């Protein structure tokens, strides 16, 4: 079987040389190592699916760890220039494989990294892989995670864990059934700051907490968009559009969809809330065991429709007390929108661009960005508090935690069972947005939006033939 390794340098590719049809034979790991070859007992061998900007960053993080090897990369795109996006880099399977081979060679591993445009072909040859790292657009997360879990692979998957609520439930179910080690890519979950915040909140440092505000500056990547792109544009060399589309219905290729800008389109991404909700709603969900809101309503700010996300958002999540879930109200803002300044704040204070604020009966806590240390206000309270006792174990790092889980067979704290819960809360807000800001009265047990049959198409989305989960 051939893989998709290009037989020329990235520089040649950038100069628009044609892709060669030649390939290289994929040889199983035990054959490469010779008769009787076994990996070191603590080595973890990974395959990367998704080699865009985030996939490249994730690969870089795993390459920093001891006894972690990356032996295969799959992505529909050979090359992306991400200079105009926050990644400020080159990516795609060609540059990412070059990077991995260079860094692994420096540590004495000179084996070639298998390269695929079709991740399913990679999985056919995955017998030597211990874990799969998924850093693809949101709409393919569940398909890939379920495939990997059912093949007995440990899985790391970017956030949101899935693109719809049915998928989140299904991934959680299969994770529990398989007992495999999983980790969602909400990196802030592994910081000391978020753990301190949860401890402060649970210890009652600011009194009884009943409200949380979270805001992010993110807006739509293509702010002038008034509908789907019209017509089609030239396909990048070495790009498999059919693979990228995955479970969605085929549409003509247009440069507005890729890279990164796919987040603007409901079929592939989930807007700002889907991008940041699993980060910035993490602390409140974790601290107060949130699971099932009674109602959710998120209003679009700026143009949006059934196909494209708005520029900004203002939303409200209401949780009643039930079981170990605390009563809580969450207000969400994006696109530069923020709450009113709280009276506990000092004169001249300006909110950071991105933060969470917890409102208690004695004062407030603000996190400047996801996972930062808790800042207590008013100052009179901050100057007289005693930091609470540490009750949550500190992390060895988000990526190391997952690798340790694989080695020790003990789940890390950002595992898929927790991640699916956090994702479902986030996606309920996305559901309201996709319905134009309608109020969702959520029936958790039956996975239904009461009185809104039109929501069913988004709770469990239809998939293209051949991509059934």
């Amino acid at each position: 079987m051939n893989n998709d390794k290009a037989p020329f340098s990235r520089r040649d590719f950038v100069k628009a040389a044609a892709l060669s049809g030649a390939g290289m034979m994929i040889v199983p790991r035990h054959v490469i190592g010779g008769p009787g070859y076994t990996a070191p007992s603590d080595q973890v061998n990974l395959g990367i699916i998704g080699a865009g900007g985030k996939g490249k960053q994730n690969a870089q993080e795993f390459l920093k760890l001891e006894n972690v090897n990356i032996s295969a990369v799959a992505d529909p795109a050979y090359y992306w220039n991400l200079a105009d996006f926050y990644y400020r880099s080159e990516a795609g399977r060609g540059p990412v494989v070059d990077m991995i081979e260079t860094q692994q060679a420096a540590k004495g591993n000179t084996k070639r990294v298998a390269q695929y445009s079709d991740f399913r072909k990679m999985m056919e040859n995955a017998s030597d892989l211990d874990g799969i790292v998924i850093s693809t657009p949101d709409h393919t997360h569940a398909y890939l995670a379920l495939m990997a879990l059912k093949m007995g692979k440990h899985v790391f998957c970017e956030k949101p864990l899935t693109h719809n609520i049915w998928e989140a439930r299904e991934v959680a179910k299969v994770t529990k059934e398989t007992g495999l080690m999983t980790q969602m890519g909400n990196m802030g979950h592994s910081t000391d700051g978020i753990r301190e915040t949860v401890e402060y909140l649970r210890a009652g440092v600011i009194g009884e907490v009943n409200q949380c505000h979270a805001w992010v500056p993110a807006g739509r990547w293509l702010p002038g968009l008034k509908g789907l792109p019209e017509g089609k544009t030239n396909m990048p060399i070495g790009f498999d559009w059919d693979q990228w589309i995955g479970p969605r219905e085929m549409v003509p290729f247009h440069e507005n969809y890729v890279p990164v800008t796919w987040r603007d389109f409901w079929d592939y991404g989930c807007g700002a809330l889907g991008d940041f909700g699993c980060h910035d709603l993490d602390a409140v969900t974790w601290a107060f065991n949130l699971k099932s809101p009674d109602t959710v309503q998120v209003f679009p700010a700026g143009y949006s429709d059934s196909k494209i996300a708005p520029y900004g958002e203002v939303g409200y999540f209401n949780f009643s007390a039930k079981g170990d879930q605390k009563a809580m109200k969450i207000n969400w803002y994006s696109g530069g929108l923020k709450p009113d300044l709280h009276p506990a704040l000092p004169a001249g204070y300006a909110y950071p661009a991105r933060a969470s604020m917890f409102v208690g009966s004695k004062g407030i806590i603000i996190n400047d960005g996801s996972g930062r240390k808790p800042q207590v206000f008013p100052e009179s309270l901050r100057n007289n508090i005693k930091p609470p006792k540490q009750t949550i174990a500190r992390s060895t790092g988000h990526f190391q935690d997952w690798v340790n889980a694989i080695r020790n067979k003990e789940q890390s704290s950002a595992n898929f069972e927790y991640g699916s819960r956090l994702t479902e809360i986030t996606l309920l807000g996305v559901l309201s947005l996709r319905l134009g800001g309608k109020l969702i009265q959520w029936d958790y047990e039956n996975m239904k939006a009461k009185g809104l049959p039109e929501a069913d198409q988004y709770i469990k989305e239809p998939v293209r033939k051949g991509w059934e989960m």
Side-chain angles (χ1 to χ4, degrees), residues 247-269:
R248 295 292 167 260
E249 288 300 316
M250 179 56 65
V251 296
F253 173 81
H254 196 285
E255 62 187 6
N256 280 355
Y257 290 125
V258 292
V260 182
T261 50
W262 51 264
R263 291 193 182 279
D264 288 355
F265 303 96
W266 291 132
D267 277 348
Y268 318 117

Side-chain angles (χ1 to χ4, degrees), residues 168-204:
R169 299 274 184 103
E170 192 70 10
V171 169
K173 178 173 74 76
V174 174
T175 298
K176 187 173 183 178
E177 290 170 351
T178 61
L180 291 160
M181 302 301 109
T182 56
Q183 183 89 317
M184 186 170 73
N186 52 331
M187 317 309 176
H189 190 87
S190 295
T191 62
D192 288 353
I194 194 172
R195 284 162 162 69
E196 289 180 23
T197 297
V198 171
E199 289 165 349
Y200 273 54
L201 293 170
R202 288 178 174 174

Side-chain angles (χ1 to χ4, degrees), residues 108-160:
N109 179 2
T110 58
K111 294 176 183 176
R112 301 298 298 273
V113 175
Q115 186 182 146
Y116 302 85
S117 65
D118 186 338
F119 64 81
R120 290 174 293 191
K121 290 182 180 179
M122 187 187 96
M123 295 300 286
E124 288 173 7
N125 293 277
S127 60
D128 66 335
L129 298 179
D130 301 303
I132 301 297
V133 179
I134 300 168
S135 307
T136 60
D138 302 348
H139 71 292
T140 52
H141 286 181
Y143 184 92
L144 296 169
L146 289 168
M147 172 186 282
L149 289 167
K150 290 177 181 179
M151 292 181 70
K153 307 300 179 185
H154 307 290
V155 185
F156 180 107
C157 183
E158 268 305 321
K159 51 75 211 167

Side-chain angles (χ1 to χ4, degrees), residues 210-270:
N210 56 23
Q211 190 170 34
C212 170
H213 300 263
W215 61 94
V216 297
R220 182 144 28 92
W221 282 100
L222 303 170
L225 204 63
K226 297 290 186 182
L228 293 180
E230 296 181 359
K232 61 181 180 179
T233 59
N234 292 330
M235 193 91 69
I237 298 171
F239 183 51
D240 187 337
W241 178 236
D242 183 77
Q243 238 338 260
W244 191 95
I245 284 289
R248 295 292 167 260
E249 288 300 316
M250 179 56 65
V251 296
F253 173 81
H254 196 285
E255 62 187 6
N256 280 355
Y257 290 125
V258 292
V260 182
T261 50
W262 51 264
R263 291 193 182 279
D264 288 355
F265 303 96
W266 291 132
D267 277 348
Y268 318 117
C270 298

Side-chain angles (χ1 to χ4, degrees), residues 52 102 143 161 181 184 199 272 276 288 335 346 349 353 392 418 438 444-445:
T102 298
Y143 184 92
L161 182 59
M181 302 301 109
M184 186 170 73
E199 289 165 349
F276 287 93
F288 301 118
Y349 181 91
I392 303 172
Y418 174 77
K438 287 188 177 179
Y444 178 85
E445 298 302 327

